[in-house]
Amino acid sequence: MNKLERNKIILEVVTPFFIGNGDEYLDIDYVYDKDRIKIIDKNKFNKRVFKDEKLYNNLLSISDDFKKLKSFFKNNAKEFLYDVRISNKVNKLISNEMINIKKFVRDKFTQTPIIPGSTIKGIIRTSLANYYYHNNRKLHEELQNENSEVKFLNAIFRNYEKDAKKDILKSLYVSDLKPIDCEMKIIRPFYKINIEDEPNDLDVLEVLTKGKFEGEIIINKNFKDINIDLSIDIIKSSLEEFFKKILNYEKERIKNKEYKFPEYQPYLIKLGLHSGAGAKTIEGKRRIKVKLKNEKKPKILNYQLSTWFDEDKNALGWAKLEFKDIKWTIF
């Protein structure tokens, strides 16, 4: 008899966050228009240019001059895929000089933003490892002196074996999450090491600022190598236990009320580029390498020093998961 536990998951954006795959908007990929950028539909634009002899010859004559190419696109593009709002800080940057912008991961066919299932599964993996280590006395006793992350995770998820086929999380499937509705913005985040430090600007990014995404999570309990209990309820408990502490750590480190953190609610998670090393490592097993100013050698700490914010001083990277049971239909 098949034993499958299936839930719909809904992710709600709580504070802005960024997930990328290395793609960028180059400065010839968009047109600046006051408070937003318009992303050029290169296929449609190129078709029109190739049919227009004057435009085509003009393009050929400037093909080796990047500055003139930028002006060509700016002055002639009429075909756009979508537009994205830009923050005040980015507006000042782009109004002076077009810049490259790191692109949020999007569906290659629809061009809508998505949350990769692998991102959510990675978050679940970390929180489960933390949960099993702190709530399974046998595992805790066996692993409390283990400093190798690989051996530590193999012990928990592969019953001490190296073979990836034995990993119990092969029984866990998380689909990509597609948007129900969402809003995006181009921002330039900054980080603070502590409240006395000056903010440090980072890359310019396309982030999610609002919205909900939906997908599915399935646990296949027929997986023969499961040696520890795995269920949606345990996943919920692990997320709550792990991320409550992550949020408290970060609030305690930066107590200036100008910097805004969300209030805890089930099931808050931290994800994306600005989740930080603390949210990707196990409590009691963290060995985070940090290079400090005026220090020749990096220090090993039990939590990251930096926290990232947008220009409105919202802590970046927070979202909320909701789980809804789905009844299977048998045909």
Side-chain angles (χ1 to χ4, degrees), residues 11-20 25 83-85 101-107 111-116 119-120 177-187 189 204-214 269 271-274 309-310 314-320:
L11 179 145
E12 182 177 353
V13 180
V14 176
T15 68
F17 65 84
F18 171 80
I19 300 171
Y25 299 117
D83 59 66
V84 188
R85 292 181 303 123
I101 299 166
K102 292 190 181 297
K103 183 179 179 181
F104 197 96
V105 62
R106 289 174 176 265
D107 184 285
Q111 290 300 310
T112 55
I114 61 170
I115 311 296
T119 296
I120 303 302
L177 277 60
K178 305 296 177 65
I180 300 171
D181 59 76
C182 65
E183 293 181 17
M184 308 202 75
K185 196 173 186 179
I186 309 294
I187 70 169
V204 176
L205 310 169
E206 178 184 38
V207 299
L208 278 168
T209 57
K210 292 181 181 179
K212 291 184 177 182
F213 290 70
E214 65 179 355
I269 61 172
L271 74 167
L273 178 65
H274 304 99
F309 298 88
D310 66 10
N314 294 300
L316 299 179
W318 291 97
K320 182 183 77 168

Short mmCIF file of all heavy atoms in Angstrom, two decimals, residues 11-20 25 83-85 101-107 111-116 119-120 177-187 189 204-214 269 271-274 309-310 314-320:
data_model
loop_
_atom_site.label_atom_id
_atom_site.label_comp_id
_atom_site.label_asym_id
_atom_site.label_seq_id
_atom_site.Cartn_x
_atom_site.Cartn_y
_atom_site.Cartn_z
N LEU A 11 3.90 30.05 0.24
CA LEU A 11 4.94 30.94 0.78
C LEU A 11 4.49 32.38 0.63
O LEU A 11 4.10 32.80 -0.46
CB LEU A 11 6.26 30.72 0.04
CG LEU A 11 7.44 31.61 0.51
CD1 LEU A 11 8.75 30.84 0.42
CD2 LEU A 11 7.55 32.91 -0.29
N GLU A 12 4.53 33.12 1.73
CA GLU A 12 4.18 34.54 1.71
C GLU A 12 5.42 35.37 2.02
O GLU A 12 6.13 35.10 2.98
CB GLU A 12 3.09 34.84 2.74
CG GLU A 12 2.64 36.29 2.75
CD GLU A 12 1.52 36.56 3.72
OE1 GLU A 12 0.98 35.60 4.31
OE2 GLU A 12 1.16 37.75 3.89
N VAL A 13 5.67 36.37 1.20
CA VAL A 13 6.82 37.25 1.41
C VAL A 13 6.55 38.11 2.65
O VAL A 13 5.50 38.73 2.76
CB VAL A 13 7.04 38.16 0.18
CG1 VAL A 13 8.24 39.09 0.41
CG2 VAL A 13 7.23 37.34 -1.09
N VAL A 14 7.51 38.12 3.58
CA VAL A 14 7.38 38.93 4.80
C VAL A 14 8.27 40.17 4.70
O VAL A 14 7.85 41.28 5.01
CB VAL A 14 7.72 38.10 6.06
CG1 VAL A 14 7.69 38.97 7.31
CG2 VAL A 14 6.74 36.94 6.19
N THR A 15 9.53 39.98 4.31
CA THR A 15 10.44 41.10 4.01
C THR A 15 11.11 40.80 2.67
O THR A 15 11.12 39.64 2.22
CB THR A 15 11.52 41.28 5.10
OG1 THR A 15 12.42 40.16 5.09
CG2 THR A 15 10.90 41.43 6.49
N PRO A 16 11.66 41.81 2.00
CA PRO A 16 12.25 41.56 0.68
C PRO A 16 13.33 40.48 0.72
O PRO A 16 14.09 40.38 1.68
CB PRO A 16 12.85 42.93 0.32
CG PRO A 16 12.04 43.91 1.10
CD PRO A 16 11.72 43.23 2.39
N PHE A 17 13.39 39.68 -0.35
CA PHE A 17 14.47 38.70 -0.46
C PHE A 17 14.83 38.46 -1.93
O PHE A 17 14.04 38.74 -2.83
CB PHE A 17 14.14 37.39 0.26
CG PHE A 17 12.99 36.59 -0.30
CD1 PHE A 17 13.17 35.72 -1.37
CD2 PHE A 17 11.73 36.69 0.27
CE1 PHE A 17 12.11 34.98 -1.87
CE2 PHE A 17 10.66 35.94 -0.22
CZ PHE A 17 10.86 35.09 -1.31
N PHE A 18 16.04 37.95 -2.11
CA PHE A 18 16.58 37.70 -3.45
C PHE A 18 17.03 36.26 -3.58
O PHE A 18 17.76 35.75 -2.73
CB PHE A 18 17.77 38.63 -3.72
CG PHE A 18 18.51 38.31 -5.00
CD1 PHE A 18 18.02 38.72 -6.22
CD2 PHE A 18 19.68 37.57 -4.97
CE1 PHE A 18 18.69 38.40 -7.40
CE2 PHE A 18 20.37 37.26 -6.13
CZ PHE A 18 19.87 37.68 -7.36
N ILE A 19 16.60 35.61 -4.67
CA ILE A 19 17.12 34.30 -5.07
C ILE A 19 17.55 34.44 -6.53
O ILE A 19 16.74 34.85 -7.38
CB ILE A 19 16.06 33.19 -4.95
CG1 ILE A 19 15.56 33.07 -3.51
CG2 ILE A 19 16.62 31.86 -5.42
CD1 ILE A 19 14.37 32.14 -3.35
N GLY A 20 18.78 34.14 -6.82
CA GLY A 20 19.28 34.28 -8.19
C GLY A 20 19.86 32.99 -8.72
O GLY A 20 20.05 32.02 -7.99
N TYR A 25 20.45 41.54 -15.55
CA TYR A 25 20.01 42.49 -16.56
C TYR A 25 21.23 43.36 -16.88
O TYR A 25 21.69 44.12 -16.01
CB TYR A 25 18.89 43.39 -16.04
CG TYR A 25 17.63 42.68 -15.62
CD1 TYR A 25 17.19 42.73 -14.30
CD2 TYR A 25 16.84 42.00 -16.55
CE1 TYR A 25 16.02 42.10 -13.91
CE2 TYR A 25 15.68 41.37 -16.16
CZ TYR A 25 15.26 41.41 -14.85
OH TYR A 25 14.11 40.80 -14.46
N ASP A 83 7.98 45.45 -16.65
CA ASP A 83 8.74 46.52 -15.99
C ASP A 83 8.85 46.22 -14.51
O ASP A 83 8.04 45.47 -13.95
CB ASP A 83 8.15 47.91 -16.25
CG ASP A 83 6.72 48.04 -15.76
OD1 ASP A 83 6.52 47.96 -14.53
OD2 ASP A 83 5.81 48.21 -16.59
N VAL A 84 9.85 46.80 -13.86
CA VAL A 84 10.10 46.59 -12.43
C VAL A 84 10.38 47.94 -11.78
O VAL A 84 11.18 48.74 -12.30
CB VAL A 84 11.32 45.65 -12.20
CG1 VAL A 84 11.44 45.30 -10.71
CG2 VAL A 84 11.23 44.39 -13.03
N ARG A 85 9.72 48.20 -10.65
CA ARG A 85 9.95 49.45 -9.91
C ARG A 85 11.38 49.49 -9.37
O ARG A 85 11.99 48.45 -9.11
CB ARG A 85 8.98 49.57 -8.73
CG ARG A 85 7.53 49.76 -9.11
CD ARG A 85 6.67 49.90 -7.87
NE ARG A 85 6.78 48.77 -6.99
CZ ARG A 85 7.15 48.86 -5.71
NH1 ARG A 85 7.44 50.03 -5.16
NH2 ARG A 85 7.23 47.77 -4.95
N ILE A 101 22.22 44.64 -13.18
CA ILE A 101 21.34 44.32 -12.06
C ILE A 101 21.19 42.81 -11.95
O ILE A 101 20.86 42.14 -12.95
CB ILE A 101 19.95 44.96 -12.26
CG1 ILE A 101 20.06 46.48 -12.34
CG2 ILE A 101 18.99 44.55 -11.14
CD1 ILE A 101 18.81 47.17 -12.87
N LYS A 102 21.42 42.26 -10.78
CA LYS A 102 21.26 40.82 -10.58
C LYS A 102 19.77 40.48 -10.64
O LYS A 102 18.95 41.10 -9.97
CB LYS A 102 21.88 40.39 -9.25
CG LYS A 102 23.39 40.51 -9.24
CD LYS A 102 24.00 39.87 -8.01
CE LYS A 102 25.51 40.02 -7.98
NZ LYS A 102 26.17 39.34 -9.11
N LYS A 103 19.46 39.46 -11.42
CA LYS A 103 18.08 39.11 -11.75
C LYS A 103 17.53 38.03 -10.82
O LYS A 103 18.21 37.04 -10.57
CB LYS A 103 18.04 38.63 -13.21
CG LYS A 103 16.68 38.30 -13.76
CD LYS A 103 16.82 37.87 -15.22
CE LYS A 103 15.48 37.50 -15.83
NZ LYS A 103 15.65 37.07 -17.24
N PHE A 104 16.32 38.23 -10.33
CA PHE A 104 15.64 37.19 -9.55
C PHE A 104 15.35 36.02 -10.48
O PHE A 104 15.04 36.20 -11.65
CB PHE A 104 14.33 37.74 -8.97
CG PHE A 104 13.77 36.91 -7.84
CD1 PHE A 104 14.03 37.25 -6.53
CD2 PHE A 104 12.98 35.79 -8.09
CE1 PHE A 104 13.52 36.50 -5.47
CE2 PHE A 104 12.47 35.03 -7.05
CZ PHE A 104 12.74 35.38 -5.74
N VAL A 105 15.42 34.79 -9.94
CA VAL A 105 15.20 33.61 -10.78
C VAL A 105 13.76 33.62 -11.30
O VAL A 105 12.81 33.83 -10.56
CB VAL A 105 15.54 32.32 -10.01
CG1 VAL A 105 14.65 32.12 -8.80
CG2 VAL A 105 15.44 31.11 -10.93
N ARG A 106 13.63 33.40 -12.62
CA ARG A 106 12.32 33.44 -13.27
C ARG A 106 12.12 32.20 -14.13
O ARG A 106 13.09 31.59 -14.60
CB ARG A 106 12.21 34.70 -14.17
CG ARG A 106 12.09 36.01 -13.39
CD ARG A 106 12.13 37.21 -14.31
NE ARG A 106 11.92 38.46 -13.60
CZ ARG A 106 10.75 39.08 -13.46
NH1 ARG A 106 9.66 38.55 -14.02
NH2 ARG A 106 10.65 40.21 -12.80
N ASP A 107 10.86 31.86 -14.34
CA ASP A 107 10.53 30.77 -15.26
C ASP A 107 10.96 31.17 -16.67
O ASP A 107 10.64 32.26 -17.14
CB ASP A 107 9.01 30.53 -15.23
CG ASP A 107 8.59 29.35 -16.07
OD1 ASP A 107 8.57 29.49 -17.31
OD2 ASP A 107 8.27 28.29 -15.52
N GLN A 111 8.54 33.90 -17.81
CA GLN A 111 9.27 35.05 -17.26
C GLN A 111 8.71 35.54 -15.93
O GLN A 111 9.00 36.65 -15.49
CB GLN A 111 9.32 36.21 -18.27
CG GLN A 111 10.20 35.95 -19.48
CD GLN A 111 11.65 35.70 -19.08
OE1 GLN A 111 12.25 36.45 -18.33
NE2 GLN A 111 12.22 34.63 -19.62
N THR A 112 7.88 34.72 -15.27
CA THR A 112 7.40 35.08 -13.94
C THR A 112 8.39 34.58 -12.89
O THR A 112 9.04 33.54 -13.09
CB THR A 112 6.02 34.45 -13.66
OG1 THR A 112 6.09 33.03 -13.86
CG2 THR A 112 4.96 35.04 -14.59
N PRO A 113 8.53 35.28 -11.77
CA PRO A 113 9.44 34.81 -10.71
C PRO A 113 8.96 33.50 -10.10
O PRO A 113 7.75 33.26 -10.02
CB PRO A 113 9.42 35.95 -9.69
CG PRO A 113 8.13 36.66 -9.94
CD PRO A 113 7.85 36.53 -11.41
N ILE A 114 9.89 32.66 -9.69
CA ILE A 114 9.55 31.40 -9.03
C ILE A 114 10.44 31.23 -7.79
O ILE A 114 11.50 31.85 -7.69
CB ILE A 114 9.73 30.18 -9.95
CG1 ILE A 114 11.20 30.06 -10.41
CG2 ILE A 114 8.79 30.24 -11.14
CD1 ILE A 114 11.52 28.76 -11.12
N ILE A 115 9.99 30.41 -6.86
CA ILE A 115 10.81 29.99 -5.73
C ILE A 115 11.21 28.54 -5.99
O ILE A 115 10.35 27.65 -5.99
CB ILE A 115 10.05 30.06 -4.38
CG1 ILE A 115 9.34 31.42 -4.22
CG2 ILE A 115 10.98 29.77 -3.23
CD1 ILE A 115 10.25 32.60 -4.15
N PRO A 116 12.48 28.26 -6.28
CA PRO A 116 12.88 26.88 -6.59
C PRO A 116 12.56 25.94 -5.44
O PRO A 116 12.79 26.26 -4.27
CB PRO A 116 14.39 26.99 -6.82
CG PRO A 116 14.63 28.42 -7.17
CD PRO A 116 13.62 29.20 -6.37
N THR A 119 15.38 25.29 -3.08
CA THR A 119 15.62 26.28 -2.02
C THR A 119 14.84 25.90 -0.75
O THR A 119 15.40 25.91 0.36
CB THR A 119 15.19 27.69 -2.49
OG1 THR A 119 16.02 28.08 -3.59
CG2 THR A 119 15.33 28.71 -1.37
N ILE A 120 13.57 25.56 -0.92
CA ILE A 120 12.75 25.18 0.24
C ILE A 120 13.25 23.87 0.84
O ILE A 120 13.32 23.71 2.06
CB ILE A 120 11.27 25.06 -0.16
CG1 ILE A 120 10.76 26.38 -0.78
CG2 ILE A 120 10.41 24.68 1.04
CD1 ILE A 120 10.90 27.59 0.11
N LEU A 177 7.76 26.71 -6.53
CA LEU A 177 6.58 27.47 -6.11
C LEU A 177 6.31 28.56 -7.14
O LEU A 177 7.20 29.35 -7.48
CB LEU A 177 6.80 28.09 -4.73
CG LEU A 177 6.53 27.19 -3.51
CD1 LEU A 177 7.42 25.96 -3.51
CD2 LEU A 177 6.72 27.97 -2.22
N LYS A 178 5.07 28.58 -7.65
CA LYS A 178 4.66 29.54 -8.68
C LYS A 178 3.85 30.68 -8.04
O LYS A 178 3.16 30.46 -7.04
CB LYS A 178 3.82 28.84 -9.74
CG LYS A 178 4.49 27.63 -10.39
CD LYS A 178 5.74 28.02 -11.16
CE LYS A 178 6.46 26.81 -11.75
NZ LYS A 178 5.68 26.10 -12.76
N PRO A 179 3.90 31.87 -8.63
CA PRO A 179 3.25 33.01 -7.99
C PRO A 179 1.72 32.98 -8.08
O PRO A 179 1.16 32.65 -9.11
CB PRO A 179 3.81 34.21 -8.77
CG PRO A 179 4.20 33.64 -10.11
CD PRO A 179 4.64 32.24 -9.85
N ILE A 180 1.09 33.29 -6.95
CA ILE A 180 -0.35 33.59 -6.94
C ILE A 180 -0.49 35.07 -7.27
O ILE A 180 -1.31 35.48 -8.09
CB ILE A 180 -0.96 33.29 -5.55
CG1 ILE A 180 -0.77 31.81 -5.20
CG2 ILE A 180 -2.44 33.68 -5.52
CD1 ILE A 180 -1.14 31.48 -3.77
N ASP A 181 0.31 35.88 -6.62
CA ASP A 181 0.45 37.31 -6.91
C ASP A 181 1.77 37.75 -6.30
O ASP A 181 2.26 37.14 -5.35
CB ASP A 181 -0.71 38.12 -6.31
CG ASP A 181 -0.79 37.96 -4.80
OD1 ASP A 181 0.04 38.56 -4.09
OD2 ASP A 181 -1.68 37.22 -4.33
N CYS A 182 2.39 38.77 -6.86
CA CYS A 182 3.65 39.24 -6.28
C CYS A 182 4.01 40.62 -6.81
O CYS A 182 3.50 41.06 -7.84
CB CYS A 182 4.79 38.26 -6.57
SG CYS A 182 5.23 38.10 -8.31
N GLU A 183 4.87 41.29 -6.04
CA GLU A 183 5.42 42.59 -6.45
C GLU A 183 6.94 42.51 -6.33
O GLU A 183 7.46 41.89 -5.40
CB GLU A 183 4.88 43.71 -5.56
CG GLU A 183 3.41 43.97 -5.73
CD GLU A 183 2.91 45.12 -4.85
OE1 GLU A 183 3.76 45.91 -4.36
OE2 GLU A 183 1.69 45.22 -4.66
N MET A 184 7.62 43.17 -7.27
CA MET A 184 9.08 43.13 -7.28
C MET A 184 9.63 44.56 -7.29
O MET A 184 8.92 45.52 -7.63
CB MET A 184 9.59 42.36 -8.49
CG MET A 184 8.95 40.99 -8.61
SD MET A 184 9.93 39.86 -9.59
CE MET A 184 11.24 39.46 -8.45
N LYS A 185 10.89 44.67 -6.93
CA LYS A 185 11.53 45.98 -6.88
C LYS A 185 13.04 45.81 -7.06
O LYS A 185 13.59 44.77 -6.68
CB LYS A 185 11.23 46.65 -5.52
CG LYS A 185 11.50 48.14 -5.45
CD LYS A 185 11.01 48.69 -4.12
CE LYS A 185 11.11 50.19 -4.04
NZ LYS A 185 10.60 50.71 -2.74
N ILE A 186 13.67 46.81 -7.64
CA ILE A 186 15.12 46.82 -7.75
C ILE A 186 15.66 47.64 -6.57
O ILE A 186 15.29 48.80 -6.40
CB ILE A 186 15.60 47.46 -9.07
CG1 ILE A 186 14.89 46.84 -10.28
CG2 ILE A 186 17.11 47.36 -9.19
CD1 ILE A 186 15.21 45.40 -10.53
N ILE A 187 16.52 47.02 -5.76
CA ILE A 187 17.05 47.71 -4.59
C ILE A 187 18.56 47.55 -4.51
O ILE A 187 19.15 46.70 -5.20
CB ILE A 187 16.43 47.19 -3.27
CG1 ILE A 187 16.92 45.76 -2.96
CG2 ILE A 187 14.91 47.24 -3.33
CD1 ILE A 187 16.57 45.28 -1.56
N PRO A 189 20.75 46.76 -1.37
CA PRO A 189 20.77 46.51 0.08
C PRO A 189 22.07 46.95 0.72
O PRO A 189 23.05 47.24 0.04
CB PRO A 189 20.59 44.99 0.18
CG PRO A 189 21.11 44.47 -1.11
CD PRO A 189 20.86 45.53 -2.14
N VAL A 204 23.30 45.64 -6.77
CA VAL A 204 21.94 46.04 -7.08
C VAL A 204 21.17 44.79 -7.50
O VAL A 204 21.61 44.02 -8.36
CB VAL A 204 21.92 47.10 -8.19
CG1 VAL A 204 20.49 47.44 -8.59
CG2 VAL A 204 22.65 48.36 -7.73
N LEU A 205 20.01 44.57 -6.87
CA LEU A 205 19.30 43.31 -7.02
C LEU A 205 17.82 43.52 -7.33
O LEU A 205 17.21 44.49 -6.89
CB LEU A 205 19.36 42.51 -5.71
CG LEU A 205 20.72 42.30 -5.04
CD1 LEU A 205 20.50 41.73 -3.64
CD2 LEU A 205 21.57 41.35 -5.86
N GLU A 206 17.24 42.56 -8.04
CA GLU A 206 15.79 42.49 -8.22
C GLU A 206 15.24 41.59 -7.11
O GLU A 206 15.61 40.41 -7.03
CB GLU A 206 15.47 41.90 -9.59
CG GLU A 206 13.97 41.74 -9.85
CD GLU A 206 13.69 41.06 -11.18
OE1 GLU A 206 14.44 40.13 -11.55
OE2 GLU A 206 12.72 41.47 -11.84
N VAL A 207 14.39 42.12 -6.24
CA VAL A 207 13.90 41.34 -5.10
C VAL A 207 12.38 41.25 -5.12
O VAL A 207 11.69 42.06 -5.74
CB VAL A 207 14.34 41.97 -3.76
CG1 VAL A 207 15.85 42.01 -3.64
CG2 VAL A 207 13.75 43.38 -3.58
N LEU A 208 11.88 40.23 -4.43
CA LEU A 208 10.45 40.15 -4.14
C LEU A 208 10.16 41.01 -2.92
O LEU A 208 10.88 40.93 -1.92
CB LEU A 208 10.05 38.71 -3.85
CG LEU A 208 9.79 37.80 -5.05
CD1 LEU A 208 9.69 36.35 -4.60
CD2 LEU A 208 8.52 38.22 -5.79
N THR A 209 9.12 41.82 -2.97
CA THR A 209 8.75 42.66 -1.83
C THR A 209 7.40 42.27 -1.22
O THR A 209 7.17 42.48 -0.04
CB THR A 209 8.68 44.14 -2.23
OG1 THR A 209 7.74 44.29 -3.31
CG2 THR A 209 10.05 44.64 -2.67
N LYS A 210 6.52 41.71 -2.03
CA LYS A 210 5.20 41.27 -1.55
C LYS A 210 4.76 40.08 -2.38
O LYS A 210 5.27 39.83 -3.47
CB LYS A 210 4.16 42.40 -1.70
CG LYS A 210 4.36 43.59 -0.80
CD LYS A 210 3.25 44.61 -1.03
CE LYS A 210 3.44 45.85 -0.16
NZ LYS A 210 2.38 46.86 -0.40
N GLY A 211 3.77 39.34 -1.84
CA GLY A 211 3.16 38.31 -2.66
C GLY A 211 3.10 36.95 -2.01
O GLY A 211 3.65 36.72 -0.94
N LYS A 212 2.42 36.04 -2.72
CA LYS A 212 2.29 34.65 -2.28
C LYS A 212 2.63 33.73 -3.45
O LYS A 212 2.34 34.03 -4.61
CB LYS A 212 0.87 34.36 -1.79
CG LYS A 212 0.52 35.06 -0.48
CD LYS A 212 -0.87 34.63 0.00
CE LYS A 212 -1.21 35.28 1.35
NZ LYS A 212 -2.54 34.83 1.85
N PHE A 213 3.23 32.58 -3.09
CA PHE A 213 3.59 31.55 -4.06
C PHE A 213 3.06 30.22 -3.56
O PHE A 213 2.95 29.99 -2.36
CB PHE A 213 5.12 31.47 -4.20
CG PHE A 213 5.73 32.65 -4.90
CD1 PHE A 213 5.77 33.90 -4.28
CD2 PHE A 213 6.26 32.54 -6.17
CE1 PHE A 213 6.32 35.00 -4.92
CE2 PHE A 213 6.81 33.62 -6.82
CZ PHE A 213 6.85 34.85 -6.19
N GLU A 214 2.74 29.31 -4.49
CA GLU A 214 2.22 28.01 -4.07
C GLU A 214 2.90 26.87 -4.81
O GLU A 214 3.36 27.02 -5.94
CB GLU A 214 0.71 27.94 -4.25
CG GLU A 214 0.23 28.01 -5.69
CD GLU A 214 -1.27 27.92 -5.82
OE1 GLU A 214 -1.94 27.70 -4.80
OE2 GLU A 214 -1.78 28.08 -6.94
N ILE A 269 10.52 31.51 7.91
CA ILE A 269 11.81 30.98 7.44
C ILE A 269 12.66 32.14 6.93
O ILE A 269 12.15 33.22 6.64
CB ILE A 269 11.64 29.94 6.31
CG1 ILE A 269 10.94 30.57 5.08
CG2 ILE A 269 10.88 28.71 6.81
CD1 ILE A 269 10.91 29.67 3.86
N LEU A 271 15.48 32.92 3.87
CA LEU A 271 15.91 32.31 2.63
C LEU A 271 16.60 33.31 1.71
O LEU A 271 16.56 34.52 1.93
CB LEU A 271 14.73 31.67 1.90
CG LEU A 271 13.71 32.58 1.18
CD1 LEU A 271 12.82 31.73 0.26
CD2 LEU A 271 12.87 33.38 2.13
N GLY A 272 17.24 32.77 0.69
CA GLY A 272 17.84 33.59 -0.34
C GLY A 272 19.24 34.05 0.00
O GLY A 272 19.88 33.60 0.95
N LEU A 273 19.73 34.99 -0.81
CA LEU A 273 21.11 35.47 -0.71
C LEU A 273 21.43 36.01 0.67
O LEU A 273 22.55 35.87 1.16
CB LEU A 273 21.33 36.56 -1.77
CG LEU A 273 22.71 37.23 -1.79
CD1 LEU A 273 23.79 36.21 -2.17
CD2 LEU A 273 22.72 38.39 -2.78
N HIS A 274 20.45 36.63 1.33
CA HIS A 274 20.72 37.32 2.60
C HIS A 274 20.30 36.51 3.82
O HIS A 274 20.15 37.06 4.91
CB HIS A 274 20.02 38.68 2.59
CG HIS A 274 20.42 39.52 1.43
ND1 HIS A 274 19.63 39.63 0.31
CD2 HIS A 274 21.54 40.24 1.20
CE1 HIS A 274 20.24 40.41 -0.57
NE2 HIS A 274 21.40 40.78 -0.06
N PHE A 309 19.93 44.68 5.20
CA PHE A 309 18.71 45.48 5.23
C PHE A 309 18.48 46.15 3.88
O PHE A 309 19.43 46.35 3.11
CB PHE A 309 18.80 46.57 6.30
CG PHE A 309 18.96 46.05 7.70
CD1 PHE A 309 20.22 45.78 8.22
CD2 PHE A 309 17.85 45.82 8.50
CE1 PHE A 309 20.38 45.30 9.52
CE2 PHE A 309 17.99 45.33 9.79
CZ PHE A 309 19.25 45.07 10.30
N ASP A 310 17.21 46.52 3.62
CA ASP A 310 16.95 47.38 2.47
C ASP A 310 17.06 48.84 2.91
O ASP A 310 17.35 49.12 4.09
CB ASP A 310 15.59 47.07 1.84
CG ASP A 310 14.40 47.40 2.75
OD1 ASP A 310 14.60 48.05 3.80
OD2 ASP A 310 13.27 47.00 2.41
N ASN A 314 14.49 47.41 6.57
CA ASN A 314 13.84 46.13 6.82
C ASN A 314 14.87 45.02 6.70
O ASN A 314 15.63 44.97 5.72
CB ASN A 314 12.73 45.87 5.78
CG ASN A 314 11.59 46.85 5.91
OD1 ASN A 314 10.94 46.93 6.94
ND2 ASN A 314 11.34 47.60 4.84
N ALA A 315 14.92 44.13 7.68
CA ALA A 315 15.82 42.98 7.60
C ALA A 315 15.42 42.11 6.42
O ALA A 315 14.25 41.78 6.24
CB ALA A 315 15.76 42.17 8.89
N LEU A 316 16.39 41.75 5.59
CA LEU A 316 16.09 41.02 4.36
C LEU A 316 16.01 39.52 4.60
O LEU A 316 16.63 38.96 5.51
CB LEU A 316 17.17 41.31 3.31
CG LEU A 316 17.32 42.77 2.87
CD1 LEU A 316 18.44 42.90 1.85
CD2 LEU A 316 16.02 43.30 2.28
N GLY A 317 15.22 38.84 3.76
CA GLY A 317 15.29 37.39 3.68
C GLY A 317 14.18 36.61 4.36
O GLY A 317 14.25 35.38 4.41
N TRP A 318 13.13 37.27 4.87
CA TRP A 318 12.13 36.53 5.66
C TRP A 318 10.85 36.26 4.86
O TRP A 318 10.35 37.11 4.12
CB TRP A 318 11.78 37.31 6.92
CG TRP A 318 12.92 37.36 7.90
CD1 TRP A 318 13.82 38.38 8.05
CD2 TRP A 318 13.30 36.34 8.83
NE1 TRP A 318 14.73 38.07 9.03
CE2 TRP A 318 14.44 36.82 9.53
CE3 TRP A 318 12.79 35.09 9.14
CZ2 TRP A 318 15.07 36.07 10.52
CZ3 TRP A 318 13.41 34.34 10.14
CH2 TRP A 318 14.55 34.84 10.81
N ALA A 319 10.34 35.03 5.03
CA ALA A 319 9.08 34.63 4.41
C ALA A 319 8.36 33.68 5.37
O ALA A 319 8.94 33.20 6.34
CB ALA A 319 9.33 33.94 3.07
N LYS A 320 7.09 33.41 5.08
CA LYS A 320 6.29 32.52 5.93
C LYS A 320 5.73 31.39 5.09
O LYS A 320 5.25 31.61 3.97
CB LYS A 320 5.13 33.32 6.56
CG LYS A 320 4.26 32.50 7.50
CD LYS A 320 3.10 33.33 8.04
CE LYS A 320 2.00 33.48 7.01
NZ LYS A 320 0.74 34.02 7.58
#
